[in-house]
């Protein structure tokens, strides 16, 4: 069975039938719009577009992983403001010959990634497209706190990261090289490329701890910290020795013949969080201090200025 | 100059530089997410995907009209809940060879359509795509009122419409037939195809008047009222004599050799509003009573049952 066999309303019913609604969703799918709780009188909103062939490949990733990834990258943006995600809405472009099993897996991926943070899919739109196109917007609740911006880094702050770095880049390289994925390490990085595991709860935690600035590492740590440096009018100095390269990333680098630190510093799509904190804040072990903020501009690694390396969508 | 000449960050800066922020936007573009006011502790959210070649053609519509249309169809969904739109976020897929003038016009279209309702573009995402893809999500404020759902139609209610019906279908037919657009009437329907003019303020007005159900006519009046009939468990009877076919639609129908009432009843994309009201409500002249609600199921026109005619995206 394909999407075309069911027709638009059949597809919508099939999708919504698989989606339980969380507590924050006051009115779910089925009307012109959804209604979501925004308890403190504000709502955080983020949006992203994922395109087949550019952000995922159906021969590399199943529907379930694509759904989880699409939800994850938006939920991570909300967490990076210090907010708790409440819901997502999804605009879906799909080919008529798309197997229904793939659509079901995609839907389940949205559902399960949302469930990680207690959110749900509040609404959406389905249209026909030659390739799979996914537009996700995520909403979140700041719980009375101020949002943590990119512009709040000040000299004297320490720079810390939490979550995976370099995993998705390693997994992409393994797939690109066509390596046999036999070992647990290679399996782990390939799985990480297919499906990120953002450290969602660390976002609100960082806000509670008094983070001065925070963002989601989506285009690569150096490039993303460049945004913090620019928005804050400061210089960020990173200590390459401070990065503990994770074992699976190191193994994959050896197999591919790449520099694992390059992946850690410039690889995107893991959706780690990077934040700066006043130096007196006592950070939980989940945060790894990797540098500090000084007067000046740009991002430097061990005294060497680096360009904006990462992912420019029009290069 | 094209999009590719500027690069991703140049494009983002160019877009955001053209976008003033409205009062409801507490934090606009430039961070991981935006923050929008939701004064009564709830937020209305709607999303739609517009694809080049399917929802618009660059040889038929300029960037400005596409931007206005993309914003309009989402803002109309929010209005159809009885809410006042506060902001939109936009996910944009664009080719590297897209002229910057087209992108500027698109941006100005988003901006100006939002300005009609006092909303603004709070954030977005830009990525590269072979064709133009636009994902819009709109947020709105219910101002303390209950949302007006599709499920609240009851026997005894009158059915009323406000806004244009049949204009966009007429304009599409004129373009499809390749007719010379010389007369004011043909110009008007073609302009309506390119850029809808939803009766936004009538949404909150209907809610204030006590509308039992309401929706945005996006796929055609018969099909859309079918959703109301189904969600409410009622039958909707329309009186075809009650529809005043607008002069430009009548003129276009004569030129094309079509039935104008067919366009009025089944044409989508004008984003009129259809609502049901208790019969004792005294409706302003902007609402045209076109039928009533009875016990039963489905939608009938002058005693004849009609199928779900309109636009099925997978037919």
């Amino acid at each position: 069975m394909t999407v075309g066999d069911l027709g638009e309303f059949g597809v919508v019913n099939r999708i919504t039938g698989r989606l339980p609604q969380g507590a924050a969703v006051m009115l779910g799918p089925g009307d012109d719009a959804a209604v979501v709780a925004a308890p403190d009188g504000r709502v955080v909103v983020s949006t992203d577009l994922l395109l087949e062939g550019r952000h995922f490949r159906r021969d590399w990733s199943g529907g379930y992983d694509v759904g989880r990834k699409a939800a994850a990258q938006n939920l991570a943006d909300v967490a990076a403001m210090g907010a708790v995600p409440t819901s997502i809405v999804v605009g879906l472009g799909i080919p008529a010959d798309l197997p229904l099993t793939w659509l079901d897996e995609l839907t389940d991926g949205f559902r399960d990634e949302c469930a990680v943070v207690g959110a749900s899919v509040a609404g959406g739109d389905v249209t026909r497209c030659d390739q799979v196109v996914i537009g996700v917007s995520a909403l979140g609740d700041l719980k009375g706190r101020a949002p943590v911006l990119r512009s709040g880094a000040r000299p004297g702050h320490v720079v810390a990261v939490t979550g995976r770095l370099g995993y998705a880049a390693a997994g992409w390289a393994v797939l690109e090289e066509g390596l046999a994925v036999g070992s647990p390490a290679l399996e782990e990085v390939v799985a990480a490329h297919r499906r990120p595991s953002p450290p969602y709860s660390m976002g609100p935690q960082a806000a509670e701890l008094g983070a001065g600035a925070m963002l989601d590492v989506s285009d690569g740590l150096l490039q993303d910290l460049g945004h913090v440096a620019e928005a804050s009018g400061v210089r960020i100095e990173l200590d390459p020795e401070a990065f503990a390269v994770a074992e699976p990333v190191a193994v994959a680098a050896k197999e591919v013949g790449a520099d694992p630190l390059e992946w850690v510093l410039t690889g995107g799509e893991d959706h780690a969080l990077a934040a700066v904190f006043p130096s007196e804040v006592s950070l939980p072990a989940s945060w790894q201090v990797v540098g500090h903020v000084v007067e000046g501009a740009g991002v430097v690694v061990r005294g060497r200025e680096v360009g904006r390396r990462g992912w420019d969508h029009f290069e």
Side-chain angles (χ1 to χ4, degrees), chain A:
Chain A
M1 282 273 280
T2 67
V3 158
D5 297 331
L6 269 192
E8 182 183 1
F9 297 102
V11 165
V12 169
N13 288 337
R14 189 168 180 108
I15 292 172
T16 55
R18 301 179 85 87
L19 295 172
Q21 293 302 316
V25 178
M26 304 167 81
L27 177 70
D31 220 296
D32 292 277
V35 183
V36 176
D40 74 4
R42 300 169 298 169
V43 64
V44 171
V45 56
S46 158
T47 198
D48 268 314
L49 207 54
L50 279 90
L51 309 173
E52 180 176 351
R54 182 152 191 91
H55 299 99
F56 61 89
R57 288 172 50 165
R58 272 196 273 158
D59 55 341
W60 283 8
S61 294
Y64 186 73
D65 288 333
V66 172
R68 291 201 67 147
K69 184 174 182 166
Q73 71 179 59
N74 278 276
L75 297 170
D77 279 330
V78 169
M81 303 302 285
V84 177
T86 51
S87 63
I88 65 172
V89 291
V90 180
L92 204 53
I94 45 179
D97 65 0
L98 186 75
L100 277 179
T101 50
W102 203 92
L103 181 68
D104 289 344
E105 288 164 15
L106 181 74
T107 307
D108 292 351
F110 292 139
R111 179 196 67 202
D112 291 353
E113 192 66 24
C114 282
V116 171
V117 291
S120 49
V121 183
D125 173 49
V126 177
T127 192
R128 184 170 168 171
C129 188
D130 293 338
Q131 292 199 300
V132 178
V133 172
I134 305 170
V136 176
S137 297
L139 304 183
D141 173 14
L142 284 162
K143 296 195 172 277
R145 289 184 300 261
V148 184
L149 310 185
R150 297 177 175 192
S151 54
R154 298 289 174 264
H157 281 163
V158 299
V159 179
V161 294
T162 187
R164 292 167 166 178
L165 287 170
Y167 277 72
W172 191 85
V174 167
L175 289 170
E176 174 92 333
E177 295 281 325
L179 295 184
V181 182
S183 73
L186 295 194
E187 268 175 25
E188 193 170 347
V189 294
V190 167
H193 162 75
R194 294 195 177 117
R195 188 199 306 176
S197 298
Y200 299 115
S201 63
M202 298 295 114
Q205 184 198 65
E208 286 286 351
L209 288 168
M214 180 159 53
L215 50 55
D216 155 55
V217 182
S218 52
D219 292 331
L221 185 65
L222 294 184
Q223 179 170 311
D224 287 324
L225 285 178
H227 301 316
V228 172
E230 191 176 344
S232 300
V234 298
R235 183 179 193 85
I236 290 177
E237 292 186 349
L238 297 179
D239 174 9
E241 310 293 336
F243 289 90
V245 174
E247 175 73 12
V249 175
V251 170
K254 205 171 164 189
E255 290 274 345
V256 174
D259 176 2
L261 191 61
E262 175 89 11
W263 287 340
V264 167
L265 292 174
T266 68
E269 306 212 319
D270 281 311
H271 302 285
L273 292 173
V276 305
F277 297 91
S279 57
E280 64 272 20
V281 171
S282 157
L283 288 174
S286 47
W287 289 90
Q288 191 182 356
V289 174
V290 295
H292 54 282
V293 180
V294 297
E295 308 249 348
V299 179
V300 293
V301 180
R302 196 194 273 149
R304 189 165 53 84
E305 188 136 6
V306 292
R308 270 184 168 170
R309 289 189 296 182
W311 185 252
D312 184 311
H313 291 184
F314 293 100
E315 255 171 18

